[in-house]
Amino acid sequence: MIMKTILILSLVLLNIQVLVEADEPKTADDYMNMCITLPVEGASKTEASPEPDLECPSFREKSCCNTNATADFLKTHVWESVINFDHCPGKPRLSPDCARLMHQEMCFYACSPNLGPWIVKAYAHPDLDHLNHAPLCASQCEEWWNACKEEYTCHKDWITDMVWGKLHSCKKDAVCKKYKEFYSSAADFCSTIWHGDYKVVPDSEPCLVFTFDTSKSNPNTAVAQAAAEKKATE
């Protein structure tokens, strides 16, 4: 009984610490220099820096991840020990178009230096940082959806619905169906698959894209800067 009480108190104190850390005031610069913590050993950085050989071209000049952070996916459609994108038994591998968009989204989540205003540190799975409704451009969402809607999955929300273990896997008796049978629209897909990481907004509003023309400035920087300045005053 004593040990159980100690454990409960420890968990309460841990939760209080997490809440305190989450509530610490941050400046706009703090948000603009924040990198997401990845559940892949050796993949994360504490601050963005150049990564010339990165497999994600958009973020070679300034990256929050190390080289090869997403390379495993390109070979096997499995991201390290996190998730197997071909999790439906007997179903074909991702199409080239879907694999390309899934990798672009993975690179964006893992390597983008512009996600600070939407990173949530205190998440149900402590080894996996979460984005809280990062504004995704509708056109980017449509491209992702159109590339992948004919693929197969067994669950709608890949964070909360799948079995957590060595890899995400389907729950017992889960039925594999095409994405378009699970999701009612592109917006439903983009906002649900990663448990609210993204909020789909019209292109006419400030919004983020997975990739961009690297001969020009990163369009996500201005979006993040405005969000960081607003969040710092809340």
Side-chain angles (χ1 to χ4, degrees):
M1 182 66 182
I2 294 176
M3 290 302 296
K4 183 177 180 180
T5 301
I6 292 173
L7 177 60
I8 291 172
L9 287 173
S10 297
L11 290 172
V12 169
L13 289 172
L14 178 61
N15 286 334
I16 290 173
Q17 182 182 2
V18 168
L19 289 173
V20 170
E21 289 176 352
D23 289 337
E24 285 182 355
K26 290 184 174 64
T27 67
D29 284 346
D30 289 333
Y31 288 113
M32 292 301 291
N33 289 288
M34 187 182 296
C35 284
I36 206 159
T37 300
L38 302 172
V40 179
E41 186 176 356
S44 306
K45 294 182 181 181
T46 55
E47 61 182 54
S49 61
E51 202 69 30
D53 297 322
L54 187 67
E55 63 278 12
C56 304
S58 292
F59 305 108
R60 287 172 181 162
E61 186 175 327
K62 189 176 183 182
S63 172
C64 271
C65 71
N66 288 304
T67 298
N68 293 327
T70 69
D72 189 47
F73 170 83
L74 295 174
K75 298 177 182 177
T76 63
H77 291 179
V78 175
W79 188 30
E80 298 289 339
S81 60
V82 183
I83 183 166
N84 179 3
F85 286 77
D86 299 324
H87 48 257
C88 281
K91 301 302 179 183
R93 283 168 58 82
L94 297 178
S95 69
D97 279 349
C98 184
R100 177 174 56 84
L101 265 295
M102 284 293 190
H103 185 245
Q104 287 179 4
E105 189 277 330
M106 184 184 297
C107 287
F108 176 76
Y109 164 79
C111 308
S112 174
N114 302 125
L115 298 178
W118 302 281
I119 294 174
V120 179
K121 292 290 186 183
Y123 186 63
H125 302 286
D127 61 343
L128 180 64
D129 272 358
H130 179 50
L131 298 179
N132 183 33
H133 297 159
L136 186 67
C137 293
S139 60
Q140 176 67 84
C141 174
E142 288 284 349
E143 183 182 7
W144 187 16
W145 169 243
N146 287 331
C148 296
K149 63 184 178 182
E150 298 293 335
E151 305 298 335
Y152 287 84
T153 187
C154 54
H155 294 293
K156 186 172 183 177
D157 187 323
W158 288 11
I159 298 294
T160 60
D161 297 347
M162 288 194 180
V163 177
W164 279 77
K166 185 178 180 181
L167 283 173
H168 266 91
S169 60
C170 302
K171 289 181 178 177
K172 185 178 179 180
D173 300 325
V175 177
C176 283
K177 298 182 290 186
K178 288 186 175 183
Y179 289 14
K180 65 183 183 182
E181 296 178 72
F182 272 102
Y183 306 102
S184 61
S185 65
D188 184 29
F189 164 69
C190 297
S191 61
T192 305
I193 187 170
W194 295 126
H195 192 62
D197 271 13
Y198 304 115
K199 175 182 69 174
V200 181
V201 301
D203 285 24
S204 57
E205 297 180 14
C207 58
L208 305 166
V209 291
F210 296 156
T211 62
F212 49 89
D213 183 350
T214 55
S215 68
K216 301 177 182 178
S217 60
N218 181 345
N220 295 330
T221 301
V223 178
Q225 183 68 48
E229 292 172 2
K230 180 179 179 182
K231 196 170 180 67
T233 62
E234 293 177 351

